[in-house]
Amino acid sequence: MSTTLTETISAPQAPDIGYHPDEAKWRARTAQRLAQDPKLRSVPLPEGFPAKVEGPIVWEGKDWTDESQFVYRLSTAELKEINEALAHFKGLGVKKGYISKETFPLPTLGPKLYDLARELYEGRGFFVLRTIPVDEYSREDLVIVYAGISSHVGSDRGKQDSKNSVILHIKDLSPKHAKGASGIGYSAHTSDRQTFHTDQGDLISLLTLETAVEGGISKLASSSRVYNEIAATRPDLIHTLSEPWPIDRFGADPAYVMRPVLWNVDGNIIIQYTRRQFTGYSAQVRSPNIPPLTEAQAEALDTLQFTAEKFAYNMTLQKGDIQYISSLGLLHAREGFRDEEDHTRHLIRLWLRNTELAWKMPDILKPYWDRMYSLGPDQQEFPLEAELRTKHSGGLPPGAK
């Protein structure tokens, strides 16, 4: 008599990690992995990655002791020039997609904005323009002013949803949703805390129409400073971050793509990820039947978060501020906030690129960038009110504010 043995192969178990970071779990996972293999601290860095990055893009939050280090205050003459540019553009009688530094001329302010754009690509990676008198404009005119000023920082505007919208309203929409915040899959449309992440695209711009009653602080961290810390203390995690990860595409076809989170391109450290791509967020649950994260990846994801927190700068934006940041050189996050019925936080976002100053991109990201910045002037949409985001068509799940 013969006996047939059937071997049961169980699927890999997903690590215990969620969208909201748990420092105790991170420290426990780190301790366990180092106990299992103490040599992780001493492995050589991957080929092509430096022991240390230097330059103005490498900074810590404590380096910014006064807002005058990064805030450019608009003068009365410059605000008058902006109004003249608005009148000039409206006189052309063309669609908003034709807004450019040529159709929104700023002869005095424009060159200064270009110099500030250099700061995004070649310097610290962020600045704030203060203050646009947002209450003095209609919403229509304000959108023109915002896009017009920003065209002198980055000439290309990226699409942010499948409707070809090039601006996105960042606002808590959960009070208007039947299921509240639990029915919304993008934290941009809730008042929830946001973890450190990057958006798709070169540059992020945010115009503050209204601040929150409480909270909502913007948090920035230098990706290169985060890299330096991890490279010095846990070089094995540089290996992990620079190897392919399963990026959830949340219902798209294919269901996921494999790509790294970290690159070194021409000496520029580039980190591109959002945590929800690996953990899901609220109604946008992680897709089934895609490879789970490894324990090493789970540790690396939390290490990015808590290292960024260690070196972050916390910025309080004022009504009328425009914040510009490099999404290639910086990580960003947001504290949770509280609104009241008649006082709600409301920001408008642009994704920009300055083609003259742009960094060389990793080959695997180029198709996504090209697709995102592919809209012609007649295709671009500029919604005036906040609405729940539709599926993004750029190929990568976008980051959110």
Side-chain angles (χ1 to χ4, degrees):
M1 184 171 98
S2 63
T3 302
T4 302
L5 297 178
T6 302
E7 182 179 4
T8 300
I9 301 176
S10 59
Q13 293 297 307
D16 180 14
I17 187 169
Y19 176 79
H20 294 96
D22 185 319
E23 186 171 359
K25 289 181 180 179
W26 169 58
R27 293 191 181 281
R29 177 175 283 116
T30 296
Q32 182 179 29
R33 295 193 68 238
L34 289 175
Q36 292 171 344
D37 188 356
K39 294 180 181 179
L40 292 176
R41 293 186 185 275
S42 57
V43 301
L45 288 165
E47 184 178 356
F49 282 87
K52 186 176 183 180
V53 180
E54 297 183 346
I57 195 64
V58 184
W59 50 260
E60 300 179 11
K62 63 182 178 61
D63 296 333
W64 312 114
T65 57
D66 192 278
E67 287 186 334
S68 63
Q69 294 174 282
F70 56 82
V71 172
Y72 182 89
R73 296 181 181 273
L74 293 166
S75 68
T76 301
E78 289 166 338
L79 289 170
K80 181 175 182 290
E81 187 173 83
I82 290 169
N83 287 335
E84 291 169 350
L86 170 63
H88 175 82
F89 178 80
K90 291 173 71 175
L92 298 176
V94 296
K95 292 182 177 180
K96 296 185 190 71
Y98 287 89
I99 296 171
S100 68
K101 59 184 179 182
E102 289 75 30
T103 62
F104 196 91
L106 298 171
T108 302
L109 179 59
K112 298 174 184 177
L113 292 173
Y114 188 83
D115 287 343
L116 289 167
R118 286 189 179 277
E119 194 67 49
L120 299 177
Y121 284 102
E122 302 169 6
R124 64 182 170 266
F126 70 98
F127 73 91
V128 172
L129 199 64
R130 180 172 293 167
T131 304
I132 303 299
V134 294
D135 291 335
E136 295 181 10
Y137 297 102
S138 68
R139 181 63 58 81
E140 183 97 18
D141 284 355
L142 184 59
V143 166
I144 295 171
V145 165
Y146 176 38
I149 292 170
S150 297
S151 69
H152 291 264
V153 177
S155 54
D156 291 357
R157 289 182 289 269
K159 63 178 175 179
Q160 302 191 47
D161 62 20
S162 61
K163 297 180 180 179
N164 290 342
S165 302
V166 295
I167 66 172
L168 184 78
H169 293 261
I170 309 297
K171 191 175 183 179
D172 180 13
L173 298 181
S174 59
K176 298 181 179 180
H177 195 282
K179 295 183 179 180
S182 64
I184 297 176
Y186 295 100
S187 52
H189 294 145
T190 75
S191 60
D192 196 8
R193 168 197 179 193
Q194 289 185 308
T195 59
F196 277 98
H197 63 281
T198 60
D199 286 13
Q200 191 174 340
D202 281 24
L203 309 175
I204 310 163
S205 171
L206 289 164
L207 167 61
T208 303
L209 299 187
E210 187 56 87
T211 59
V213 171
E214 182 181 15
I217 289 175
S218 172
K219 304 166 77 73
L220 305 179
S222 160
S223 295
S224 293
R225 182 63 186 91
V226 170
Y227 169 86
N228 284 349
E229 182 76 2
I230 298 174
T233 59
R234 289 295 303 278
D236 62 300
L237 296 182
I238 300 298
H239 281 270
T240 301
L241 292 165
S242 62
E243 294 167 351
W245 291 50
I247 308 290
D248 197 336
R249 299 185 70 230
F250 298 109
D253 184 18
Y256 68 96
V257 294
M258 299 293 294
R259 68 162 177 84
V261 169
L262 168 71
W263 296 265
N264 177 30
V265 183
D266 285 353
N268 294 316
I269 292 297
I270 297 174
I271 297 175
Q272 275 288 305
Y273 83 108
T274 67
R275 190 175 176 99
R276 65 181 177 83
Q277 292 170 332
F278 309 111
T279 64
Y281 174 79
S282 189
Q284 195 173 60
V285 297
R286 184 163 171 80
S287 300
N289 303 319
I290 69 174
L293 296 185
T294 65
E295 286 293 326
Q297 288 171 333
E299 186 192 0
L301 195 60
D302 276 345
T303 300
L304 283 177
Q305 171 69 26
F306 290 110
T307 307
E309 285 187 5
K310 179 179 178 181
F311 297 117
Y313 178 71
N314 295 343
M315 180 186 300
T316 301
L317 296 173
Q318 300 179 13
K319 184 174 181 175
D321 281 354
I322 306 180
Q323 180 192 55
Y324 293 93
I325 72 173
S326 166
S327 195
L328 299 179
L330 303 185
L331 305 175
H332 64 282
R334 182 198 72 199
E335 290 188 356
F337 63 90
R338 181 176 65 83
D339 284 338
E340 293 179 353
E341 187 174 352
D342 59 348
H343 188 132
T344 58
R345 183 182 188 266
H346 189 174
L347 283 68
I348 305 178
R349 184 179 72 188
L350 285 164
W351 283 342
L352 304 169
R353 177 174 62 179
N354 188 309
T355 54
E356 297 177 9
L357 302 175
W359 289 3
K360 182 179 178 181
M361 293 298 300
D363 289 340
I364 197 171
L365 294 183
K366 285 179 183 177
Y368 303 117
W369 260 239
D370 291 344
R371 191 177 306 138
M372 192 179 91
Y373 292 113
S374 66
L375 294 180
D378 290 315
Q379 298 172 291
Q380 297 179 25
E381 298 293 335
F382 295 77
L384 300 182
E385 300 296 337
E387 57 185 31
L388 282 175
R389 172 195 264 156
T390 59
K391 180 176 164 50
H392 183 264
S393 59
L396 286 177
K401 289 286 347 110

